Amino acid sequence: MASVNKVIIVGNLGRDPENRYLPSGEQVTSIAVATTENWTDKQTGGQKSLTEWHRISFFGKLAEIAGQYLKKGSPVYVEGKLRTQKYTDRDGIERYQTNIIASTMQMLGSKQDSGNSGQNGSQNNGRNSYSEAKQTGRRPTTQADLDDDIPF
């Protein structure tokens, strides 16, 4: 029987990305993304919410893009796989940490949300597919690039 290890997260960054480099020179970018679940308590009728924090790591070209364009508060869509690592803390206790290793990322919202103030704060409208840049190795298309093609 085949198995699947796939995660999809849509949330907001809780802090600016952290960039590191492997001995090979490859960039690794780490982010923390918050997802919030809201519901109505059946017993009290009051609103409840639960926020989960997800640690996400990007490698290579996708790490470069995430490190450059994502900022604290940015809404983001991420696909990847779960990876659990075992480590020993300062007190000698073995602990486990589960991260998401990203394979696809797409910025959501406006350019202002991502910390890149664009022309009049116009919307990307999903035109900046950073997963495409990872797959092709080409620079993603920006709103300014699209405006250059308009003949008027």
Side-chain angles (χ1 to χ4, degrees):
M1 181 166 137
S3 62
V4 176
N5 179 357
K6 183 170 184 166
V7 177
I8 298 174
I9 298 291
V10 178
N12 295 311
L13 270 69
R15 56 180 161 76
D16 285 337
E18 295 177 8
N19 300 307
R20 304 183 317 275
Y21 294 88
L22 298 175
S24 66
E26 181 180 31
Q27 182 171 336
V28 179
T29 299
S30 300
I31 62 173
V33 174
T35 57
T36 303
E37 177 183 358
N38 297 308
W39 72 93
T40 302
D41 187 306
K42 291 181 182 178
Q43 295 176 347
T44 66
Q47 291 294 312
K48 300 276 187 171
S49 70
L50 174 66
T51 299
E52 290 283 340
W53 287 94
H54 311 277
R55 297 170 192 232
I56 302 173
S57 297
F58 300 94
F59 292 87
K61 186 68 176 170
L62 193 57
E64 294 172 23
I65 294 166
Q68 181 177 358
Y69 292 101
L70 294 177
K71 303 288 180 226
K72 180 179 179 178
S74 298
V76 66
Y77 169 94
V78 176
E79 287 184 28
K81 61 184 173 184
L82 291 177
R83 177 76 40 91
T84 301
Q85 296 176 321
K86 179 178 167 182
Y87 68 97
T88 304
D89 69 10
R90 294 179 188 166
D91 299 325
I93 300 171
E94 287 186 352
R95 301 204 182 262
Y96 294 88
Q97 180 178 17
T98 301
N99 293 316
I100 297 168
I101 306 302
S103 58
T104 302
M105 180 269 290
Q106 181 149 3
M107 297 174 64
L108 305 173
S110 69
K111 286 185 179 186
Q112 288 179 330
D113 290 341
S114 66
N116 296 330
S117 298
Q119 299 169 337
N120 303 321
S122 60
Q123 298 283 331
N124 322 5
N125 296 324
R127 288 184 255 203
N128 291 332
S129 177
Y130 293 98
S131 60
E132 178 184 332
K134 176 188 178 266
Q135 295 167 356
T136 63
R138 292 191 306 259
R139 183 175 68 90
T141 304
T142 64
Q143 183 67 32
D145 293 338
L146 294 173
D147 290 345
D148 289 345
D149 295 336
I150 299 174
F152 50 87

